[in-house]
Amino acid sequence: MYEPIRAKSVHSTVDGPSPDFPHRSREEELDIQLAGHLAALLAVTDELRAAQGSADLDTAAERLAEQVSRLRGGRTPARAPMSGRRDRGTAALHQRAHALAGRALVVAASRADTAAAILAAERMDAHTAALEPRELASR
């Protein structure tokens, strides 16, 4: 009733790994993704440091830079120079940082990276705390 398949499927991949197509493990992909989220969080943290410098933000930026460097095999992350105050509101920066820390926490948890997960959770708490007084004052 049915005719047997005579040719290889067009949906199958070539036999064996292709040397011109990079293959990464799941762990390598998660490392890249986590490093990206932490680097973005570092950039927002640096913006917050320029807008409202504090010792907590300085410490957080250094810890974030260490984690990004670790995940990228020792390469230090590119950082923008701190150039005074920015026009962007700090509430928006704290919200962005909170969202980025949440994304980093999810990837760190799936990767079982305790150090990065703890750092991301701490940053989420810090940015939530920074937003709470403003939310209460606006009510």
Side-chain angles (χ1 to χ4, degrees), residues 2-54:
Y2 292 104
E3 184 177 337
I5 298 172
R6 295 185 184 138
K8 288 188 176 187
S9 171
V10 295
H11 300 288
S12 65
T13 59
V14 210
D15 293 337
S18 174
D20 59 338
F21 183 72
H23 294 280
R24 294 187 199 110
S25 68
R26 180 176 188 274
E27 290 77 23
E28 290 171 322
E29 289 292 339
L30 288 173
D31 282 350
I32 292 166
Q33 192 175 22
L34 181 57
H37 289 316
L38 291 176
L41 180 57
L42 175 60
V44 174
T45 302
D46 282 341
E47 281 190 61
L48 279 166
R49 288 175 58 216
Q52 59 176 47
S54 76

Side-chain angles (χ1 to χ4, degrees), residues 24-135:
R24 294 187 199 110
S25 68
R26 180 176 188 274
E27 290 77 23
E28 290 171 322
E29 289 292 339
L30 288 173
D31 282 350
I32 292 166
Q33 192 175 22
L34 181 57
H37 289 316
L38 291 176
L41 180 57
L42 175 60
V44 174
T45 302
D46 282 341
E47 281 190 61
L48 279 166
R49 288 175 58 216
Q52 59 176 47
S54 76
D56 178 51
L57 289 172
D58 293 341
T59 304
E62 290 308 312
R63 290 178 62 201
L64 286 165
E66 288 171 7
Q67 289 297 318
V68 172
S69 179
R70 176 184 62 88
L71 290 165
R72 290 184 175 166
R75 294 188 320 252
T76 57
R79 296 176 72 176
M82 291 190 41
S83 59
R85 299 193 180 274
R86 306 269 172 131
D87 292 337
R88 192 170 177 185
T90 57
L93 289 172
H94 281 294
Q95 289 171 345
R96 175 99 174 112
H98 184 273
L100 288 166
R103 291 181 189 131
L105 179 59
V106 169
V107 176
S110 69
R111 186 183 173 277
D113 187 334
T114 307
I118 290 171
L119 178 58
E122 288 174 358
R123 296 318 308 151
M124 284 182 73
D125 290 343
H127 294 296
T128 299
L131 287 170
E132 283 177 357
R134 293 163 204 241
E135 289 175 3

